[in-house]
Amino acid sequence: DIQMTQSPSSLSASVGDRVTITCRASQSISSSSNWYQQKSGKAPKLLIYAASSLQSGVPSRFSGSGSGTDFTLTISSLQPEDFATYYCQQSYSTPRTFGQGTKVEIK
Amino acid sequence: EVQLVESGGGLVQPGGSLRLSCAASGFTVSSNYMGWVRQTPGKGLEWVSVIYSGGSTFYADSVTGRFTISRDNSKNTLYLQMNNLRAEDTAVYYCARVEGAVAGAIDYWGQGILVTVSS
């Protein structure tokens, strides 16, 4: 199975901050990386697919980049509703494994 | 509007069985790659099982031989039969739709249903 390793596991940030979360795959996955946001008690929500494509309805302050083994999710200006846990996932091979999550907390 | 609504969770003793259901609307289950993802505080998000549009299936090693995924096309519903349940199967289970239009990401999730295995 492909391992997806996220960093950091948690971070504290203020409203308006630029936030970057990284994800490293244990082998090359081309551009088959996705990002999800999960709020407490809710199902994950797709933000970014195919490394850099913004899912319909997702604010443009979210962006993704990377290819091969290294991927990044960036929130350009953190908003109050963005405090949540973020997960990366690879859709290159089955099982489509997830990272362990990054919790974004209020500073 | 696409919706996935799960049912069938609850408390069960070790060694017991449960069947989870996921009623879909707004699309055809048999036309999509569908599956079950579970979430625990300790292990995060984990694919449990998938069924492809052609009918072939995949199971995580941890559930192989105990869980069976299936679908009823007439009811547009996905199922997960879980037998010989263990404490480590305790989790929130999500029904998930994988969509080719978003490069194989999960574009719709159910609301999640709690399965607790305990005596």
Side-chain angles (χ1 to χ4, degrees), chain A residues 9 11-12 20 25 31 35 39-40 44 47 50-51 58 71 76-77 79 86 94-96 98 101 104 107:
Chain A
S9 55
L11 64 89
S12 296
T20 299
S31 61
W35 291 94
K39 296 183 179 179
S40 181
L47 299 177
V58 173
F71 300 89
S76 61
S77 177
Q79 297 302 299
Y86 295 84
T94 299
R96 300 189 176 187
F98 295 88
V104 176
K107 191 178 219 177

Side-chain angles (χ1 to χ4, degrees), chain A residues 39-74:
Chain A
K39 296 183 179 179
S40 181
K42 300 292 187 182
K45 171 189 171 184
L46 178 63
L47 299 177
I48 301 287
Y49 63 93
S52 60
S53 295
L54 193 68
Q55 171 66 335
S56 176
V58 173
S60 59
R61 63 181 179 273
F62 291 94
S63 64
S65 64
S67 66
T69 60
D70 294 316
F71 300 89
T72 299
L73 173 70
T74 299

Side-chain angles (χ1 to χ4, degrees), chain B residues 3-23:
Chain B
Q3 278 196 312
L4 299 170
V5 180
E6 297 127 340
S7 60
L11 173 65
V12 62
Q13 292 188 338
S17 298
L18 277 178
R19 188 177 80 157
L20 304 183
S21 300
C22 172

Side-chain angles (χ1 to χ4, degrees), chain B residues 17 34 38 47-48 60 64 74 76 80 87 100 106 115:
Chain B
S17 298
M34 299 288 300
R38 67 185 179 186
W47 272 104
V48 174
T64 295
S74 67
N76 209 33
L80 185 68
I106 300 171
V115 171

Side-chain angles (χ1 to χ4, degrees), chain A residues 87 99-100, chain B residues 38-46 88 90-91:
Chain A
Y87 294 92
Q100 79 279 15
Chain B
R38 67 185 179 186
Q39 185 170 33
T40 62
K43 292 192 72 177
L45 292 163
E46 177 191 22
E88 55 265 35
T90 294

